[in-house]
Amino acid sequence: MDNLSSDNQERSFLSETLAAMTQFVVTHSKFSLGFALIVSIGCVLLTVFRLEFKTDRADLIDPTAAFHEKWINYTESFGSSSDLVCVVESESPESIKFVLRNLGQRIEQHPELFENPLYQINPGDLPSKGLQYLSPRQLQTGLNRLDEYGPIYRNGRWDLTQVDLLYDRLRYQIQSRSTSYRGTDSDQYLEPLFNHAAILSTSMSRFLADQSDFQSPWPSIVPVNERMRERSQEVIYLLNQSGTMGFLKVFPVHQENGFDGATNAIEKMRSIIGEVAAENPEAKISLTGIPVLENDEMRKSQADMINASIISCFGVGLLLFIGFRGFRHPILALIMLSAGMAWAFGYTTLTIGHLNILSVSFAVILIGLGIDFGIHYMSRYIELRHAGKELEPALLSTSRTVGTGIVTAALTTALAFYCAGFTPFLGIAELGFIGGGGILLCALATFIVLPALLSRADRNVEIKQMPTPFQGVWLQKIIMRFPRAVALCSLAVVAFCASQMIQKTDQGWSSRVVYDYNLLNLQAAGLESVEVQKRIFEDAQNSLLFAVSVADNPDEARALRKKFEALPTVHHVEELASRVPAHSSKDTNLLVQSFRAQLVHLPDEVPLVRRLNPSNIGRKLEQVYVLLSRYNHPTAQGTARLLDRFLNRFESMTLEDQSRFLDEFQYRTTASLLGQFKALRGASDSTPVRFTDLPRSLTSRFVSAEGKWLIQVYPRDHIWEIGPLEEFVKDVRAVDPDVTGTPLQNYEASQQIKLSYKTATVYALAVICVVLLIGYLSRRHAAMAIVPSTVLAVCTWFILFNRGTPISVETAIGMFLVMCIGVAFVLDRRSVSHMFLTMLPPVVGGVVMFGILAMTSINLNPANLIVLPLILGIGVDDGVHVVHDFRMKKGAYKTSPSTINAIVLTSLTSMIGFGSMMVATHRGLYSVGLVLVIGVACCLFISLVTLPALLTWISNRSQTTDSVSMDDGQNRSKKRQNRDRMEAEAAA
């Protein structure tokens, strides 16, 4: 009873202000409840009609950040949508093409949901202008080579294409040049002839082995690379190199409002895929892409959050009913929380005006933290009622005692969240600002709504009808009897967990707590869109992620392409500028016209030439074989061996088979040369290439309305992992400092998230320490500790800044905090020690949590990193209430039953609320629930075991010291009295 008496209660301006507020609320309970109801309804209506939702991940990033400004500039020119990617897998390339056409035709019927589908490329008029893609030098070289064939196409001497004459001409030219060019330089003049002999001989040998395998024996007149050959095809489909995987890309139309985003387009796409898959069972059709990954994550997390919320509500409600042994008081606490939540939503609407995909979770956070204030208030109120106090005095005493702890806990927790507002990541900054204000409003609801509700609900309730909450008597007894042993054992557990956080490696000491950057590891296991992305990377060496660079003109785009392709971390580059001639039409026009003019009179049919004599062919080949065998050139030696094998096989054939083979080969040889002439004539349109000649499916993607040219840079490695991503980002930025794209956004955002949470934690720790010092020190001592430290820290920072050696903000804060604590320690050691004791649950509990994470190999990630400010807030809340309970008592410390009950209930409600997310299939949400349950449990252990044991041990030592001092004083007083008596007797 003495621990609850008013004599032991610290009177202060704050406690008396809270008591006066409670007096007003209880006296005017109807007015207070009516006012709270009206404000709540107004906030709800304001939220319904004014609160907006932003679902784009780009909304989480500060638009003034340098890297994000590059992304904004890119999206303004080319749009912000990423592709939906349909993946068709089959053993038959023709089957894949058929399915892609079917999918594309059905998608094109829904322009309201899909934009710019790309599954095939129709080359249009480009093949007829193919020669314009060659340089003037290449064209001139081609004309010179073409002129060598002049007797054939100009004079109609197609008999010159006879194989025996070709070998005769090659033998004559080799002998002639060998005579003309002697010495070491002869190889460079003979090599073209050796190559022609090799091509001709290889063609004959392959055709003899397989009549369906014919390779043209004529060297190319003009150089034609693979890209030009690709353009000359009738239709190009998006297939992997092996032809087992095809792709269809399309932009989804996003919904402007709400959280639907691309949901409607994705749902329709899956419906179309289902229809086509049913009609083509031989092909496997899957859907992936960045919008699909984000949509699947959003929908999974929404479904999981609904399930978690239901479980959380039932679990928290059941726990409150069990903890308070009744229904009335838990319902009152939930009503108070509802009012605080309504006010928080109104505050969010008025200040920020919107929620993003991070800050939308603030409601769950407030449910876990906001209910704590009501639990602490009611626990002390019920304890006072059981101690014999009537309704109104109990409410006043509750506000006067535990109310100060609630205010301190609310301020420290809110400031911990507000510190996130100073971080660079906008999503976390907005969450911190909303969460901090929401916590303060829930604390305000505790002093306005809850006392009014209790004054109405318990007006006619007798003391014996009040519930008897859990009191933790056994825990009190153990700590009271063995405080030193309990403290040392719990600290040994802390030391063991701390030792598990680090490990020794060959490079030195390193942390065992790993931060996982891979966003795919947050998705639900076995998700189709994730598995398909992995298969695309493995089977097609392609990635959904690519960097983008923007060029002002085609020449710049081609130059950037070459630089990007030279990077070791780049797999391939896609752009449209290579489909535009690199040289001006003025430089190539006359040369291209020359090709057309020379090849204007080509025969429509393959000209007939005389039949070849097998014995004559054998003799000619034998002569070439003997000639080539004399040269040490590797091509000559290889061709000689090839001719030897050919002659051996040719001679083993019957005369009839030899004649049939030679007739067919001769016909194809003449036809292939005529075909090459016709291809050159067909590609000799000298009309300049226009932008409209390019395929629309590509121009709409790679060229903006302002004339900007896009370059897509695809990585060689799997850049969802941070190591390859860092190398890729470093390399592409070395080529173009303004490069942007999803990989760079992911990289910068992940760095900002990690830095933001660390910065917010450092700031919050400093602010909490200062607030606790202000709360524990007298006003005079607080001013003496804070004001000079602030002035000195600012002056030091200013002097260093002017000298050109600025220090970081974190260093300045640390310097201020050290000075502030040092001065406070000189003025009032007791208050400083209480501040450090209050910080034990969040700091030491955090150490235990990280030790457990290291031992169980649970990684931190961008989702569960929110545990840092939450654990800090929850731990400080517990520490504040325990230390306030300690400061209100005299003599040996014993934790109040109400404090034990409140901390147990608040911790368990938080564990149930956050732990309900462990039912989620979304691995990010699961990890948030798991880490928070571990963290809250660690704070609970430190708050109810380690901290009370230390406080009991300290109070016992202080009491022993006081007793010894009192005994010594009494003995000295008795001695002094005896001496005075003896002196008086002597004087008498």
Side-chain angles (χ1 to χ4, degrees):
M1 293 289 292
D2 58 326
N3 282 334
L4 299 174
S5 64
S6 59
D7 296 335
N8 291 336
Q9 297 170 4
E10 293 186 351
R11 301 282 179 143
S12 65
F13 174 78
L14 176 60
S15 64
E16 294 306 313
T17 301
L18 294 175
M21 180 187 298
T22 303
Q23 181 69 65
F24 177 84
V25 168
V26 171
T27 305
H28 305 88
S29 58
K30 290 184 179 180
F31 171 80
S32 300
L33 292 175
F35 172 78
L37 180 61
I38 292 173
V39 173
S40 299
I41 293 174
C43 289
V44 170
L45 293 176
L46 182 66
T47 300
V48 171
F49 291 106
R50 295 286 301 276
L51 187 63
E52 298 178 354
F53 299 93
K54 294 186 176 182
T55 60
D56 196 336
R57 291 194 180 194
D59 296 325
L60 303 178
I61 304 173
D62 184 0
T64 62
F67 76 93
H68 195 53
E69 287 181 345
K70 299 172 186 176
W71 172 261
I72 293 174
N73 293 335
Y74 157 69
T75 57
E76 287 176 350
S77 297
F78 295 93
S80 59
S81 292
S82 298
D83 282 307
L84 302 179
V85 182
C86 287
V87 183
V88 182
E89 299 172 83
S90 175
E91 295 298 324
S92 169
E94 293 305 317
S95 176
I96 293 176
K97 294 177 183 179
F98 176 79
V99 173
L100 288 175
R101 287 195 300 270
N102 200 343
L103 284 170
Q105 291 166 2
R106 300 194 188 197
I107 288 170
E108 288 168 351
Q109 296 174 5
H110 300 280
E112 75 282 0
L113 294 175
F114 306 105
E115 293 178 342
N116 196 15
L118 175 63
Y119 57 97
Q120 64 181 20
I121 301 174
N122 296 309
D125 295 332
L126 286 182
S128 66
K129 303 178 181 181
L131 288 178
Q132 295 187 42
Y133 288 87
L134 300 176
S135 67
R137 182 176 180 180
Q138 290 173 322
L139 288 171
Q140 186 60 57
T141 301
L143 284 171
N144 295 337
R145 292 177 181 173
L146 182 63
D147 190 60
E148 296 176 3
Y149 295 93
I152 298 176
Y153 65 81
R154 277 198 299 263
N155 303 330
R157 292 289 309 278
W158 291 94
D159 59 300
L160 296 176
T161 63
Q162 290 181 194
V163 176
D164 54 347
L165 297 181
L166 290 177
Y167 273 108
D168 272 346
R169 190 177 300 110
L170 281 171
R171 181 168 55 84
Y172 170 77
Q173 290 176 335
I174 291 172
Q175 291 174 340
S176 176
R177 292 190 183 184
S178 296
T179 304
S180 302
Y181 304 103
R182 296 182 180 276
T184 57
D185 295 336
S186 61
D187 284 353
Q188 66 178 336
Y189 298 102
L190 293 174
E191 187 168 6
L193 299 176
F194 291 155
N195 291 335
H196 191 179
I199 293 172
L200 179 58
S201 302
T202 301
S203 177
M204 287 187 66
S205 180
R206 290 177 59 174
F207 190 70
L208 181 63
D210 183 359
Q211 299 286 308
S212 63
D213 182 15
F214 176 79
Q215 174 183 304
S216 175
W218 304 100
S220 296
I221 296 174
V222 294
V224 180
N225 56 30
E226 291 301 321
R227 198 170 293 115
M228 283 189 64
R229 286 197 177 94
E230 190 178 85
R231 293 194 195 99
S232 67
Q233 297 176 6
E234 182 178 354
V235 177
I236 302 170
Y237 288 86
L238 305 183
L239 301 177
N240 67 342
Q241 191 171 9
S242 61
T244 59
M245 186 177 285
F247 308 97
L248 181 150
K249 300 180 180 181
V250 63
F251 291 141
V253 176
H254 286 260
Q255 302 296 319
E256 294 298 329
N257 299 317
F259 281 94
D260 288 338
T263 299
N264 292 339
I266 293 172
E267 284 298 312
K268 186 61 179 179
M269 178 67 79
R270 285 183 166 140
S271 174
I272 293 173
I273 288 175
E275 295 171 1
V276 176
E279 299 170 2
N280 301 272
E282 75 282 359
K284 180 179 180 181
I285 311 175
S286 308
L287 182 64
T288 187
I290 298 299
V292 182
L293 290 171
E294 293 181 353
N295 187 264
D296 286 346
E297 181 179 25
M298 179 189 71
R299 296 175 67 180
K300 279 285 184 184
S301 60
Q302 282 183 339
D304 291 335
M305 285 301 293
I306 291 173
N307 295 333
S309 298
I310 294 172
I311 295 173
S312 176
C313 289
F314 279 104
V316 170
L318 180 62
L319 184 63
L320 289 177
F321 295 146
I322 295 174
F324 284 106
R325 313 282 177 89
F327 291 92
R328 183 172 69 257
H329 293 94
I331 290 175
L332 297 180
L334 293 175
I335 293 174
M336 177 275 298
L337 178 63
S338 300
M341 292 284 292
W343 299 353
F345 271 103
Y347 157 81
T348 301
T349 306
L350 287 173
T351 53
I352 303 297
H354 62 262
L355 294 176
N356 56 52
I357 56 179
L358 273 183
S359 60
V360 72
S361 63
F362 93 95
V364 178
I365 295 173
L366 286 188
I367 290 174
L369 297 179
I371 193 67
D372 294 356
F373 306 133
I375 291 174
H376 280 285
Y377 193 95
M378 283 201 304
S379 296
R380 178 51 62 96
Y381 160 75
I382 293 173
E383 184 181 29
L384 291 171
R385 291 299 306 273
H386 278 292
K389 292 205 173 192
E390 296 297 327
L391 175 62
E392 188 171 325
L395 290 172
L396 294 175
S397 182
T398 299
S399 297
R400 187 175 284 117
T401 55
V402 78
T404 57
I406 291 175
V407 170
T408 304
L411 283 174
T412 53
T413 306
L415 287 172
F417 276 92
Y418 275 126
C419 286
F422 297 99
T423 61
F425 194 71
L426 185 61
I428 296 175
E430 289 183 354
L431 174 61
F433 191 80
I434 294 170
I439 287 170
L440 292 178
L441 290 171
C442 286
L444 182 62
T446 303
F447 294 103
I448 294 178
V449 178
L450 194 55
L453 289 173
L454 288 171
S455 67
R456 307 292 299 179
D458 288 352
R459 176 170 297 179
N460 299 319
V461 177
E462 297 181 5
I463 294 176
K464 62 181 181 180
Q465 295 177 308
M466 298 294 293
T468 304
F470 167 77
Q471 297 184 354
V473 176
W474 58 272
L475 183 62
Q476 288 178 314
K477 290 181 178 179
I478 293 176
I479 293 176
M480 283 291 293
R481 292 187 62 183
F482 312 105
R484 182 176 179 180
V486 172
L488 293 177
C489 289
S490 62
L491 291 175
V493 172
V494 172
F496 172 77
C497 292
S499 67
Q500 301 303 304
M501 292 171 55
I502 56 175
Q503 60 182 351
K504 186 173 179 58
T505 62
D506 295 337
Q507 290 76 31
W509 293 95
S510 63
S511 172
R512 291 180 60 192
V513 182
V514 179
Y515 182 76
D516 185 4
Y517 289 86
N518 194 332
L519 298 179
L520 291 182
N521 291 338
L522 302 183
Q523 298 276 13
L527 201 62
E528 181 194 55
S529 54
V530 176
E531 297 301 320
V532 173
Q533 156 62 13
K534 294 177 180 178
R535 288 206 305 276
I536 290 175
F537 190 83
E538 293 169 358
D539 298 339
Q541 285 296 299
N542 209 340
S543 173
L544 297 180
L545 304 180
F546 53 84
V548 293
S549 180
V550 179
D552 293 328
N553 52 65
D555 291 336
E556 184 182 347
R558 282 188 288 266
L560 285 172
R561 178 190 183 114
K562 291 180 181 179
K563 293 179 180 179
F564 283 126
E565 287 179 332
L567 297 175
T569 56
V570 172
H571 181 264
H572 69 280
V573 180
E574 294 182 2
E575 44 80 41
L576 194 59
S578 297
R579 293 183 175 270
V580 178
H583 302 275
S584 170
S585 61
K586 295 179 181 179
D587 299 331
T588 60
N589 187 273
L590 293 177
L591 295 171
V592 172
Q593 288 182 21
S594 297
F595 276 93
R596 171 155 291 202
Q598 294 196 46
L599 298 172
V600 67
H601 299 297
L602 292 176
D604 295 331
E605 303 294 335
V606 179
L608 297 177
V609 298
R610 69 178 177 84
R611 299 186 66 183
L612 299 176
N613 187 326
S615 60
N616 188 36
I617 286 292
R619 187 173 61 256
K620 303 284 187 185
L621 293 181
E622 186 72 29
Q623 293 173 351
V624 173
Y625 162 73
V626 172
L627 177 64
L628 293 175
S629 299
R630 299 173 183 171
Y631 294 91
N632 292 325
H633 193 280
T635 304
Q637 289 294 318
T639 305
R641 290 192 295 270
L642 184 65
L643 285 173
D644 185 41
R645 291 193 299 270
F646 173 81
L647 288 170
N648 291 336
R649 184 169 181 179
F650 184 74
E651 291 173 356
S652 66
M653 297 169 62
T654 64
L655 181 61
E656 181 180 358
D657 289 340
Q658 288 177 346
S659 298
R660 187 183 304 111
F661 162 75
L662 291 174
D663 289 344
E664 183 65 24
F665 183 75
Q666 179 61 63
Y667 176 82
R668 295 200 180 193
T669 297
T670 306
S672 65
L673 183 60
L674 178 61
Q676 190 170 172
F677 290 157
K678 286 185 175 181
L680 288 174
R681 186 180 66 181
S684 61
D685 185 352
S686 60
T687 305
V689 175
R690 300 182 303 272
F691 191 73
T692 54
D693 294 332
L694 301 172
R696 168 63 183 163
S697 57
L698 294 179
T699 57
S700 58
R701 290 169 175 267
F702 287 95
V703 183
S704 71
E706 301 86 8
K708 300 289 185 180
W709 292 74
L710 184 68
I711 303 103
Q712 296 178 348
V713 187
Y714 287 81
R716 183 173 299 279
D717 298 317
H718 211 311
I719 58 173
W720 289 103
E721 299 292 343
I722 187 61
L725 177 59
E726 284 181 336
E727 292 297 322
F728 179 72
V729 170
K730 178 183 176 182
D731 282 354
V732 296
R733 279 181 171 168
V735 173
D736 180 9
D738 293 329
V739 70
T740 184
T742 303
L744 287 92
Q745 290 289 99
N746 288 350
Y747 173 75
E748 294 291 351
S750 64
Q751 298 296 321
Q752 276 199 350
I753 289 174
K754 188 175 180 181
L755 176 64
S756 294
Y757 278 123
K758 286 184 176 180
T759 303
T761 303
V762 172
Y763 289 176
L765 280 171
V767 170
I768 288 171
C769 289
V770 173
V771 171
L772 291 176
L773 282 176
I774 294 174
Y776 293 151
L777 291 169
S778 65
R779 277 178 283 183
R780 184 171 65 88
H781 285 169
M784 293 174 64
I786 294 174
V787 174
S789 300
T790 303
V791 173
L792 185 58
V794 171
C795 291
T796 303
W797 179 87
F798 184 75
I799 292 171
L800 292 175
F801 180 81
N802 286 336
R803 290 182 177 179
T805 56
I807 60 175
S808 65
V809 177
E810 290 80 2
T811 304
I813 291 174
M815 182 171 59
F816 159 75
L817 196 59
V818 169
M819 289 187 293
C820 188
I821 293 175
V823 174
F825 184 78
V826 173
L827 297 174
D828 188 350
R829 296 184 181 182
R830 180 172 176 269
S831 294
V832 174
S833 66
H834 290 173
M835 182 270 292
F836 282 118
L837 289 169
T838 304
M839 295 299 296
L840 277 180
V843 175
V844 178
V847 170
V848 176
M849 177 192 71
F850 283 118
I852 294 174
L853 295 182
M855 287 186 286
T856 54
S857 299
I858 299 173
N859 295 335
L860 294 176
N861 56 53
N864 63 29
L865 206 60
I866 196 175
V867 70
L868 295 179
L870 284 178
I871 292 301
L872 188 60
I874 292 170
V876 167
D877 192 351
D878 293 344
V880 164
H881 288 290
V882 173
V883 173
H884 269 272
D885 184 54
F886 170 74
R887 288 168 64 92
M888 289 190 298
K889 296 185 176 180
K890 305 295 183 183
Y893 175 66
K894 180 174 71 172
T895 311
S896 299
S898 61
T899 301
I900 295 176
N901 178 63
I903 291 177
V904 169
L905 284 181
T906 55
S907 299
L908 291 180
T909 52
S910 297
M911 292 170 69
I912 291 175
F914 295 123
S916 62
M917 289 188 286
M918 293 174 63
V919 303
T921 57
H922 185 274
R923 287 180 289 181
L925 289 178
Y926 172 83
S927 69
V928 172
L930 178 61
V931 174
L932 278 171
V933 166
I934 295 173
V936 174
C938 293
C939 290
L940 175 63
F941 171 76
I942 301 299
S943 301
L944 289 187
V945 178
T946 307
L947 182 56
L950 289 173
L951 292 174
T952 302
W953 188 7
I954 292 171
S955 64
N956 288 344
R957 287 174 60 86
S958 299
Q959 190 176 18
T960 302
T961 302
D962 293 342
S963 298
V964 171
S965 300
M966 186 178 297
D967 291 341
D968 291 342
Q970 290 176 351
N971 291 333
R972 285 194 297 270
S973 177
K974 289 181 180 179
K975 289 180 180 179
R976 191 180 303 110
Q977 291 175 0
N978 290 334
R979 185 171 62 252
D980 292 343
R981 187 178 64 253
M982 293 174 64
E983 290 176 354
E985 290 176 353

